[in-house]
Amino acid sequence: MNLTAARELNKQEEAQQQLHLWAAILATHDALIAGGLTGLPAVHVERAKAVLLRAGDKDAGDYTDTELRTITVTSGARVWSEIDDGDPIFRNEAVVGSNGDLYITTQQHYKRSDLLPGSTAARTLFRLLRTEPEDGTVLDFAWGELVPYGAKRRDPQDGKVYTPIHEQGVTLYEPHYPHLVPSEYKLVEDSSGGDGGDDTVPRWADLEDGHTFNVGDRFSDYGKTYEVLRQFFKADSYRPPALIGDFYQLAE
């Protein structure tokens, strides 16, 4: 175990020891806000949330991706390349992948070089922390994400767009999808399976898993058309924009 792993393990142990203290601090902050008063300084609030996550009192699904990113600014994140093979990676721990993206760990495990964050092999171990696109693009639904009220997510099973019903947002876990939980999600009006892309090329949603994309092929997804740069086979984890610039690019 290297130094960074030892430090992370120490943080985990301290979180267990200090859980009740930081839980009380966070409860005090929430009570102040509920009473219409100024809450505690943000740095203390984010540190309290980080401790509760490390101790397992809270789960990543209790916070939006934006909140998790803010917590990480205070608590820090380990870099994948600096973690030795065989070292533990803890549940709810933030990890910076080799591509520079930020992931949250969904299951505690030991590092293996083939379980790279963002890879198909590690899809049950890490979840990408995303930001809402400014161009209005609708993100795919992802298990374990707290989708905030007002946000939209596309259900990969029926291709339609849904939004949470309740103000607190909603977190769904496998095997649930938005269209299966009408008590939590509602269909966005005029939401169809169409993506508005080039009608002369096949839609990603219409192609079967395992479909072969050859160099030069074109396909559309969410109103954009892509051209294939390298041969690959269709898989959920390869859906745009996951491999853009590598396996495909926006068509001119």
Side-chain angles (χ1 to χ4, degrees), residues 21-31 40 45 48-49 52 58 63:
L21 170 63
W22 287 102
I25 290 173
L26 190 58
T28 300
H29 169 77
D30 291 341
L40 299 176
V45 174
K49 292 177 180 178
L52 268 58
K58 289 287 187 179
Y63 299 107

Side-chain angles (χ1 to χ4, degrees), residues 137-210:
T137 298
V138 178
L139 296 174
D140 278 346
F141 166 80
W143 284 320
E145 177 196 10
L146 173 55
V147 179
Y149 182 72
K152 300 175 182 179
R153 294 292 182 267
R154 188 177 300 275
D155 189 318
Q157 286 201 324
D158 65 6
K160 296 181 180 180
V161 177
Y162 294 82
T163 189
I165 295 174
H166 306 293
E167 291 187 3
Q168 67 269 26
V170 58
T171 306
L172 295 182
Y173 296 94
E174 190 173 2
H176 302 293
Y177 286 93
H179 77 278
L180 298 175
V181 193
S183 62
E184 297 288 352
Y185 274 101
K186 65 179 180 180
L187 182 67
V188 175
E189 292 184 7
D190 299 325
S191 169
S192 65
D195 61 15
D198 185 348
D199 292 336
T200 66
V201 300
R203 294 171 58 245
W204 175 279
D206 293 336
L207 298 170
E208 295 182 355
D209 286 348

Side-chain angles (χ1 to χ4, degrees), residues 36-205:
L37 302 174
T38 301
L40 299 176
V43 63
H44 300 318
V45 174
E46 303 309 327
R47 186 178 177 187
K49 292 177 180 178
V51 169
L52 268 58
L53 281 169
R54 281 198 175 96
D57 187 70
K58 289 287 187 179
D59 189 72
D62 295 324
Y63 299 107
T64 66
D65 283 8
T66 298
E67 290 173 321
L68 289 171
R69 285 179 171 274
T70 302
I71 293 169
T72 300
V73 171
T74 300
S75 63
R78 282 197 286 171
V79 178
W80 173 259
S81 61
E82 297 176 359
I83 303 174
D84 289 345
D85 282 354
D87 278 354
I89 302 177
F90 300 97
R91 180 179 174 87
N92 296 329
E93 180 183 356
V95 174
V96 179
S98 58
N99 54 5
D101 288 335
L102 185 63
Y103 296 83
I104 196 75
T105 306
T106 55
Q107 295 183 44
Q108 180 171 331
H109 62 284
Y110 295 92
K111 181 184 175 180
R112 281 174 28 193
S113 58
D114 59 322
L115 298 177
L116 184 71
S119 68
T120 301
R123 65 182 181 84
T124 62
L125 301 177
F126 299 99
R127 181 171 63 79
L128 175 66
L129 295 183
R130 304 178 297 184
T131 56
E132 297 290 339
E134 296 181 357
D135 62 2
T137 298
V138 178
L139 296 174
D140 278 346
F141 166 80
W143 284 320
E145 177 196 10
L146 173 55
V147 179
Y149 182 72
K152 300 175 182 179
R153 294 292 182 267
R154 188 177 300 275
D155 189 318
Q157 286 201 324
D158 65 6
K160 296 181 180 180
V161 177
Y162 294 82
T163 189
I165 295 174
H166 306 293
E167 291 187 3
Q168 67 269 26
V170 58
T171 306
L172 295 182
Y173 296 94
E174 190 173 2
H176 302 293
Y177 286 93
H179 77 278
L180 298 175
V181 193
S183 62
E184 297 288 352
Y185 274 101
K186 65 179 180 180
L187 182 67
V188 175
E189 292 184 7
D190 299 325
S191 169
S192 65
D195 61 15
D198 185 348
D199 292 336
T200 66
V201 300
R203 294 171 58 245
W204 175 279

